[in-house]
Amino acid sequence: MADPVVRRLSLRFEVPEDSRLTIDDIFKSLDEVVDLTDVKCVTQTRRSSYQVTVASLQAKESLMVQGIQLNGRLVQVFSVETDSVVVTIKMPFEMEDGHVTGPLSKCGKVLYVKRLTYKNYPTVETGIHLIKLTEVLPTAVLP
C-alpha cells in the first residue's frame, strides 16, 4: 500500500472573518515576501482560512519567518503538518452519510461529515455535505 501524501511545501494562515479581503489582497501580500512565480496554489479552505503551496523550501521558510501583511496586520503563516482533503458532495437530505463515507474511506481516513445549513435558517440543510479526509493515498481515486 502507498504512503499518504506529504505536503512539505504547503502552508496555512487565518484572516479575521470581518476583513473583507479579496484574492488580489492575498496575492499582493504574498508577493511582498516571495516571488509570485514561487506560489503554486492558493486555496481558500474556509471563509477565513487559506492554504498556500510554494515551489521551494526557501519560499516556505520565508513566509513562515516573515508572515504576511494583510490590512495593516501581521498574519502568521504556519506549516501544514498533515495532508487533508475536503470533498464537497451534493446529496439528498434522506441519504445517510455512510453512503459516501464508506466508499471514501478507501481513499483515506474520514474525519468528519458536515451537512451545511443556511446562515439565517440553521435548522435547514442546503444539501451540500463536506467530508474531510486525512492520510489520503496518492493513488486514491475519489468516487
Side-chain angles (χ1 to χ4, degrees):
M1 182 180 264
D3 292 329
V5 175
V6 177
R7 299 181 67 193
R8 38 185 230 103
L9 297 175
S10 293
L11 305 127
R12 65 179 174 79
F13 62 92
E14 304 272 332
V15 298
E17 284 200 28
D18 61 350
S19 61
R20 298 181 188 212
L21 294 168
T22 67
I23 195 65
D24 286 333
D25 296 329
I26 302 293
F27 279 110
K28 287 176 189 171
S29 296
L30 291 169
D31 193 32
E32 291 174 3
V33 180
V34 296
D35 191 299
L36 283 183
T37 59
D38 285 332
V39 176
K40 297 302 176 190
C41 182
V42 176
T43 305
Q44 186 174 6
T45 56
R46 289 189 315 254
R47 184 173 172 183
S48 61
S49 300
Y50 291 84
Q51 288 188 1
V52 177
T53 302
V54 292
S56 69
L57 289 173
Q58 181 180 356
K60 180 178 181 177
E61 186 174 316
S62 294
L63 286 165
M64 288 175 58
V65 169
Q66 295 179 45
I68 56 175
Q69 289 284 333
L70 291 167
N71 286 348
R73 288 182 168 168
L74 178 63
V75 175
Q76 286 187 292
V77 180
F78 302 95
S79 180
V80 172
E81 299 301 325
T82 59
D83 182 41
S84 66
V85 172
V86 176
V87 178
T88 305
I89 297 177
K90 292 182 181 180
M91 57 190 230
F93 174 81
E94 298 84 359
M95 187 178 281
E96 294 181 18
D97 295 342
H99 284 87
V100 292
T101 58
L104 287 175
S105 66
K106 295 175 185 169
C107 303
K109 181 179 178 183
V110 176
L111 285 185
Y112 65 78
V113 176
K114 181 176 182 178
R115 292 175 172 242
L116 299 185
T117 60
Y118 291 95
K119 181 178 180 180
N120 294 331
Y121 304 94
T123 60
V124 180
E125 294 184 14
T126 64
I128 298 173
H129 298 67
L130 302 179
I131 299 100
K132 185 169 187 173
L133 301 168
T134 61
E135 300 174 22
V136 178
L137 301 174
T139 56
V141 177
L142 297 175

